[in-house]
Amino acid sequence: MPSACPVGFCSGAFTLAEAGVLDGRRATAHWQWADLFRARFPSVQLESDVLFVDDGDILTAAGSAAALDLGLHLVRRDHGAEVANSVSRRLVFAAHRDGGQRQFVERPVPDLPDESLAPVLAWAQERLDSPLSVSDLAARAAVSPATLHRRFQAQLGTTPLSWLTGERLALACRLIERGESRFEMVARRSGLGTAANLRTLMRRATGITPSAYRRRFGPEVS
């Protein structure tokens, strides 16, 4: 069962800080009040460049919209990535938003127009364990790699390689959540190659190692 913990949305960090529960802890708040927060609560480690902070048993979000990011993170933490993605689709809200956020949440295929990249994204997601390259994606989309790059930047705000790596990491996380404990197998099935590469990329994207991720999100977590 999910465990109860203090959660502060937007200005809620002020309330938690006033109560003293954030002393010496990491937290975030709306950027508009960051300077005031730091002045009033110097013992709190304020991170003003993130959407939310999960400090284990205390969580804070940076604004009203960021409350949805944190809410989806809580759903994912307690019930897994698949449930969180289902909730995000019902909310018509991205399961993961960039912008300084270091927490890793898997991203569903964007709901884009027919002339968009959606078909090639779906095709690639079914073949993440294969040695796909940007050239392969371009060939599938029947465009040049340069054109594919421009479309990714225009429609998704990222590069084809970054998207592909993110999807492979999302698959790796799902495999760990479902109980796969052999990191070499996780890396191979997600197309990341080796356990060493999995560790490097996961730490860069989420701030934690595969072992720490398994302890936090694995099936043995209750």
Side-chain angles (χ1 to χ4, degrees), residues 49-222:
D49 61 344
V50 297
L51 295 176
F52 65 84
V53 167
D54 179 347
D55 200 34
D57 58 345
I58 299 177
L59 303 95
T60 49
S64 299
L68 287 174
D69 293 289
L70 178 52
L72 284 171
H73 172 71
L74 283 168
V75 172
R76 182 174 186 275
R77 195 175 79 166
D78 291 340
H79 303 288
E82 292 186 43
V83 173
N85 271 350
S86 177
V87 172
S88 75
R89 290 186 180 98
R90 294 194 61 170
L91 291 173
V92 195
F93 189 82
H96 168 76
R97 291 195 297 158
D98 293 325
Q101 179 180 306
R102 299 187 70 211
Q103 306 292 331
F104 183 85
V105 184
E106 74 169 325
R107 293 168 293 178
V109 175
D111 185 11
L112 300 172
D114 290 341
E115 66 272 15
S116 77
L117 293 166
V120 72
L121 300 186
W123 176 83
Q125 284 185 317
E126 295 175 355
R127 296 163 175 80
L128 293 175
D129 59 338
S130 301
L132 291 177
S133 66
V134 174
S135 295
D136 294 326
L137 297 180
R140 179 67 183 183
V143 297
S144 69
T147 297
L148 184 74
H149 190 280
R150 287 195 297 272
R151 290 187 181 179
F152 264 77
Q153 288 287 3
Q155 297 182 21
L156 302 180
T158 188
T159 65
L161 183 59
S162 293
W163 177 86
L164 190 57
T165 300
E167 293 302 310
R168 283 174 166 153
L169 279 168
L171 175 56
C173 287
R174 289 198 299 273
L175 292 171
I176 294 172
E177 290 170 7
R178 292 170 183 171
E180 179 56 72
S181 60
R182 298 164 297 173
F183 293 140
E184 286 288 351
M185 180 62 71
V186 171
R188 187 157 54 248
R189 290 177 61 188
S190 62
L192 294 175
T194 65
N197 194 42
L198 170 67
R199 277 193 299 273
T200 298
L201 292 174
M202 181 172 284
R203 191 174 186 89
R204 183 184 304 162
T206 70
I208 61 176
T209 64
S211 296
Y213 190 93
R214 180 175 59 194
R215 289 193 298 269
R216 190 165 182 178
F217 298 111
E220 70 277 6
V221 176
S222 59

